[in-house]
């Protein structure tokens, strides 16, 4: 990837490190360590062997025969980040930052989580590496993703539901920043996406770019060339940057990020910052990017069927790549996502996370514009088992409903 | 010196500037007081009427500087108490223009030095320069923006000084010598010294090493030092005499108003004023 992308933590006009003075030494120390490790081959070998041993990398690139045949357009491949330990790409970043923590000599880790995937990955890392963990999770998210809360607790992490603000990912990030401001001497903050103050956007991208490193090799082994298009869902931007990083300088590869269109642009209930063009440049959560905000600069409430994409800001790197037209950004609505989900499950025997399903929905909308010799990769960032409560509800599945009711009755006794 | 005169000399490394109005004000008061007092209110919390009565109470008890906070949806430097009150004001639909109108009215009414505290996005959306121009126009003496670091927000710091307004920079026990010097030279008015880790709202123990940290920041920078975060009352203020120039009382005031009402604030401020031998 082009590591000269950043000018002092800026990507075009986006980025920076707008944190209170008390946190400046902590973020600058982290940046120093990141600058040390980013070109350190030994560090990278240690990192990759941890991913192989513990998380099952490399993840396969699965040919989607069913979907390819169904649409009759380009050949569709699926990068299987769902097969990571913990079931999502989030662990790639977390294990990397776990090693960074060792260098920093910190013994406690904190994290924010939206869907809970990053929280679970962090709790796993802490259990494995012997750190104490505290996970901040919006109360609304904790409710819709209780299964992940359950696992974090089993793994020994403390889970703190955040009730302030909109009680979602944004507010969990604020709480984590506040905790960090009080405890940075022994605590590392593992930010879970390519957002926040320098060096997080680049550091998270650095660790997640393992996805596109493998993808490039895999697709070259199969076809001897780059893919024509890569689709990834876009919340904060970590899986998208991971899937795109190695191809940024390969102009022939079209990079498409798919945001959460929620209930559609007109409803105002969505989390699309770029595709709907309703976000504006702002400074919040320690960095400058496109935020969904009102004219006073107050952040707006966002909506998505998937907790992991329900976020008010976006990676400064992606804001820049969209502005410079290197990345094209779409939004898929909740309804389109549910339809896409049914198709992927039935045609491929795969169960994508609702977040990842946005990437499929984005492709399906425009698959008719592909030629049969086009090669398309969809980054399936995670698996959907965790979403069973939401999916069961969204599909209005009667069997699932009576199961939940019956369980409820039994617990009530 | 009138605000708006050309203070800003471009090109030179050291922006040797004339004294700001607020700097002169502080210098004069230092001569007659053991320690200056700055008190805080979140604009609109619990409501504008209570804000105004509190400000009137501050004024009667000889408060020298008043810090009025414009609420923000994501106040990362604030602890749970202020997070909730920021949110409560926004839920009522209070807008930035209403806050500015309120401040303008207070500035006219009370001959005290007023500062606005808020987060950088509020300035950024308003237009950084336009916001500072507005402050100057309504007679605000300076601003405090905790998420505008020196090296990221130079426009804000430089333009403020150029317009004769203080852009108060923040120092902590973790700001070492070189950083302290930058904090002193880029910021203006005075240095807001945060004596501990963490956010607003919890108590600070003003132990000897904390006082030593404040002294050292003062020695290194030679600047006026205001100390805020965690001051609980007259006893803490008294401990700061001879070390800090200004004591800032924030969340404790909100707690007093919430638990004991404005009559409680009256007693609280009386005790604080006693530190300077005033009623
Ligand atoms: C499976 C999965 N995909 C995607 C995301 C969105 O995050 P990002 O945009 O950082 O990849 C999440 C976030 O929780 C997730 O769990």
């Amino acid at each position: 990837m082009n590591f000269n992308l950043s000018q002092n933590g800026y990507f075009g006009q986006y980025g920076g490190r707008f944190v209170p003075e008390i946190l400046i030494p902590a973020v600058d120390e982290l940046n120093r360590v990141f600058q040390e490790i980013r070109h350190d081959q030994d560090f990278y070998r240690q990192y990759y062997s941890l991913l192989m041993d513990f998380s099952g990398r490399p993840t396969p690139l699965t040919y989607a025969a069913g979907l390819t045949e169904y649409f009759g357009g380009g050949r569709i491949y699926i990068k299987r980040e769902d097969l990571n330990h913990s079931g999502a790409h989030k662990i790639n970043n977390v294990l990397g930052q776990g090693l960074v923590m060792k260098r920093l000599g910190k013994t406690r880790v904190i994290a924010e989580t939206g869907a809970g995937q990053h929280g679970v990955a962090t709790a796993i890392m802490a259990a494995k590496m012997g750190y104490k963990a505290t996970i901040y999770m919006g109360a609304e998210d904790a409710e819709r993703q209780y299964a992940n809360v359950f696992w974090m607790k089993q793994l020994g992490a403390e889970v703190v539901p955040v009730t302030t603000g909109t009680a979602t990912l944004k507010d969990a990030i604020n709480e984590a920043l506040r905790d960090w401001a009080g405890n940075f001497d022994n605590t590392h903050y593992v930010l879970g996406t390519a957002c926040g103050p320098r060096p997080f956007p680049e550091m998270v991208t650095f660790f997640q770019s393992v996805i596109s490193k493998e993808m490039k090799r895999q697709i070259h082994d199969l076809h001897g060339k780059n893919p024509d298009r890569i689709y990834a869902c876009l919340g904060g931007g970590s899986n998208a940057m991971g899937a795109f990083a190695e191809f940024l300088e390969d102009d022939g590869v079209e990079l498409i990020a798919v945001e959460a269109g929620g209930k559609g642009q007109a409803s105002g209930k969505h989390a699309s910052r770029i595709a709907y063009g309703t976000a504006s440049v702002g400074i919040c959560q320690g960095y400058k990017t496109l935020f969904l905000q009102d004219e006073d600069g107050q952040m707006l409430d966002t909506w998505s069927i998937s907790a992991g994409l329900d976020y008010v800001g976006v990676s400064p790197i992606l804001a820049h790549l969209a502005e410079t037209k290197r990345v094209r950004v779409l939004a898929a609505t909740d309804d389109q996502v549910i339809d896409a989900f049914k198709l992927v499950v039935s045609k491929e025997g795969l169960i994508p996370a609702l977040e990842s399903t946005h990437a499929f929905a984005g492709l399906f909308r425009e698959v008719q514009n592909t030629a049969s010799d086009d090669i398309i990769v969809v980054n399936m960032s995670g698996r959907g088992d965790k979403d069973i409560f939401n999916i069961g509800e969204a599909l209005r599945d009667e069997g699932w409903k009576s199961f939940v009711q019956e369980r409820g009755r039994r617990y009530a006794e | 010196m009138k605000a708006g005169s050309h203070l800003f000399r471009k090109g030179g490394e050291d922006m040797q500037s004339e004294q700001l109005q607020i700097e002169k004000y502080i210098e004069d008061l230092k001569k007659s007081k053991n320690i200056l007092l700055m008190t805080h209110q979140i604009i609109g919390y619990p409501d504008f009427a209570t804000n105004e009565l509190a400000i009137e109470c501050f004024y009667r008890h000889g408060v020298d500087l008043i810090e009025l906070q414009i609420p923000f949806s994501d106040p990362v430097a604030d602890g749970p108490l202020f997070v909730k009150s920021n949110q409560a004001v926004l839920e009522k639909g209070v807008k930035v223009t209403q806050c500015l109108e309120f401040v303008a009215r207070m500035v006219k009414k009370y001959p005290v030095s007023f500062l606005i505290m808020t987060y950088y996005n509020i300035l950024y959306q308003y237009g950084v320069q336009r916001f500072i121009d507005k402050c100057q126009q309504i007679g605000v003496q300076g601003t405090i923006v905790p998420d505008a670091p020196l090296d990221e927000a130079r426009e804000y710091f430089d333009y403020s000084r150029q317009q004769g307004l203080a852009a108060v920079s923040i120092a902590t026990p973790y700001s070492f010598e070189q950083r302290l010097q930058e904090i002193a030279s880029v910021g203006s008015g005075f240095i807001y010294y945060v004596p501990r880790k963490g956010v607003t709202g919890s108590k600070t123990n003003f132990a000897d090493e904390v006082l030593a940290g404040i002294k050292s920041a003062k020695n290194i920078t030679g600047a006026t030092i205001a100390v805020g975060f965690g001051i609980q009352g007259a006893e803490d203020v008294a401990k700061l005499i001879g070390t800090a120039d200004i004591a800032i009382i924030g969340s404790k005031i909100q707690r007093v108003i919430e638990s004991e009402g404005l009559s409680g604030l009256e007693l609280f401020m009386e005790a604080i004023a006693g530190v300077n031998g005033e009623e």
Side-chain angles (χ1 to χ4, degrees), chain B:
Chain B
M1 181 208 66
K2 268 263 167 293
S5 61
H6 55 282
L7 305 165
F8 188 68
R9 297 193 186 114
K10 272 208 174 116
E13 239 312 289
D14 63 329
M15 278 193 321
Q16 265 302 326
S17 55
E18 287 169 45
Q19 204 172 26
L20 304 183
Q21 197 172 326
I22 190 172
E23 289 167 348
K24 173 93 173 65
Y25 173 84
I26 291 169
E27 191 181 285
D28 289 347
L29 283 166
K30 273 199 224 169
K31 290 175 193 149
S32 60
K33 292 199 160 191
N34 296 331
I35 190 161
L36 274 61
L37 297 172
M38 175 154 116
T39 52
H40 169 278
Q41 286 281 285
I42 290 179
I43 304 172
Y45 189 82
D47 48 58
F48 288 99
T50 308
N51 287 151
E52 184 163 354
L53 290 169
I55 290 165
E56 200 252 349
C57 176
F58 298 156
Y59 171 67
R60 278 190 288 101
H61 290 93
V63 162
D64 309 289
L65 303 132
I66 296 176
E67 179 191 10
L68 297 178
Q69 178 168 352
I70 299 180
F72 180 49
S73 55
D74 298 79
V76 281
D78 284 307
L81 187 78
F82 281 169
V83 169
K84 287 210 182 86
S85 27
N86 271 271
Q87 194 177 338
V89 179
L90 295 177
E91 277 165 8
K92 286 189 295 186
V94 171
K95 306 303 265 180
V96 169
T97 47
Q98 284 169 273
C99 295
L100 290 169
E101 281 161 18
F102 176 77
V103 176
R105 203 156 60 73
M106 293 303 103
V107 171
K108 279 214 187 90
K109 199 161 166 192
Y110 300 102
V112 177
S113 195
F114 283 87
L115 291 103
I116 286 179
M117 182 269 178
T118 193
Y119 287 84
Y120 202 37
N121 201 43
I122 298 294
L123 276 73
Y124 193 79
Q125 298 314 314
Y126 197 91
V128 173
Q129 299 199 359
R130 187 173 157 241
F131 190 91
I132 292 160
D133 289 345
K134 176 76 182 176
C135 286
Q136 192 208 46
Q137 184 200 325
I138 64 180
V140 166
Q141 295 294 319
T143 54
I144 303 168
V145 184
D147 62 343
L150 307 172
D151 21 33
E152 302 282 357
R154 278 309 278 267
E155 179 195 9
Y156 156 67
F157 285 102
D158 292 348
Y159 189 73
S160 290
R161 187 193 287 265
Q162 187 185 338
Q163 297 308 110
L165 254 67
V168 175
S169 53
I170 292 167
T172 78
Y174 300 84
S175 318
F176 298 112
E177 190 161 341
Q178 196 194 335
R179 183 83 181 166
L180 273 173
Q181 260 144 12
E182 278 174 67
I183 287 167
S185 70
V186 177
S188 48
F190 54 88
I191 291 177
Y192 191 132
Y193 186 89
V194 174
R196 56 159 171 79
K197 292 180 290 178
V199 289
T200 59
S202 48
K203 192 173 157 31
T204 300
N205 179 13
F206 289 96
D208 289 347
E209 76 263 21
V210 174
L211 298 178
I214 302 169
K215 277 209 180 89
S216 146
K218 190 163 176 58
N219 288 339
I220 289 169
T221 60
T224 297
I225 305 278
V227 174
F229 277 43
I231 294 182
Q232 299 297 301
E235 206 180 308
D236 287 339
V237 175
K239 275 189 215 157
L240 289 169
I241 292 176
T243 305
D245 302 298
I246 303 170
I248 307 167
I249 312 159
S251 53
K252 181 66 187 181
I253 285 175
Q254 185 177 315
R255 285 212 173 87
V256 168
I257 296 175
E258 280 180 338
S259 60
E260 296 152 53
L262 287 161
S263 57
L265 181 67
E266 199 67 33
L267 295 173
F268 179 81
M269 288 308 303
E270 231 169 78
I272 300 269
V275 172
N276 277 311
E278 292 165 24
E279 279 306 293

Side-chain angles (χ1 to χ4, degrees), chain A residues 253-384:
Chain A
V253 184
E254 196 183 355
L255 306 171
I256 303 108
V258 188
E259 296 180 314
K263 298 180 193 299
Q265 178 164 12
S267 72
K269 296 189 87 174
H270 62 79
S272 167
R273 292 106 340 158
I274 300 174
Y276 289 163
T278 42
S280 53
V281 184
I283 295 156
C284 191
Q285 308 217 290
Y287 69 117
K288 187 176 188 181
T289 194
L290 294 167
F291 286 101
L292 289 165
Q293 55 185 326
D294 72 11
E295 70 286 355
D296 273 359
Q298 313 292 0
M299 296 299 135
L300 295 174
D301 206 353
T302 51
W303 169 263
S304 169
I305 193 171
S306 62
L309 303 186
D310 197 355
Y311 180 53
V312 73
V314 64
S315 173
I317 310 180
L318 278 154
H320 174 65
L321 291 172
E323 195 167 281
T324 54
K325 305 259 190 297
R326 180 65 193 95
V327 170
R328 185 158 63 84
V329 183
L330 308 174
T333 62
D334 291 352
D335 289 345
Q336 291 167 340
V337 166
I338 290 296
D339 289 344
F341 178 82
K342 291 182 192 162
L343 206 56
V344 176
V345 174
S346 62
K347 296 289 175 202
E348 292 301 329
L350 296 176
I351 305 175
L354 286 175
E355 288 82 5
S356 323
T357 310
H358 284 71
F360 285 102
L363 164 64
F364 297 168
R365 259 184 24 203
E366 50 185 36
V367 67
Q368 72 280 2
N369 306 331
T370 61
S372 60
D373 58 351
D374 281 352
I375 297 166
I376 301 157
V377 180
V378 178
N379 191 41
M380 181 160 144
S381 54
R383 64 169 192 240

Side-chain angles (χ1 to χ4, degrees), chain A residues 154-167:
Chain A
Q154 294 302 309
L155 288 157
E158 176 195 15
V159 182
V160 181
V162 177
T163 53
T164 51
T166 55

Side-chain angles (χ1 to χ4, degrees), chain A residues 87-90 113-118 148 169 192-195 204 208 233-241 273 307-310 318 353-356 379-383 386-387:
Chain A
H89 72 291
K90 295 285 177 187
T113 194
Q117 288 302 118
H118 176 59
N148 281 333
L169 183 57
T193 190
C195 290
V204 174
Q208 291 294 0
C233 68
L234 175 53
S238 69
N239 90 90
M241 280 313 300
R273 292 106 340 158
L309 303 186
D310 197 355
L318 278 154
L354 286 175
E355 288 82 5
S356 323
N379 191 41
M380 181 160 144
S381 54
R383 64 169 192 240
K386 69 176 171 68
D387 293 327

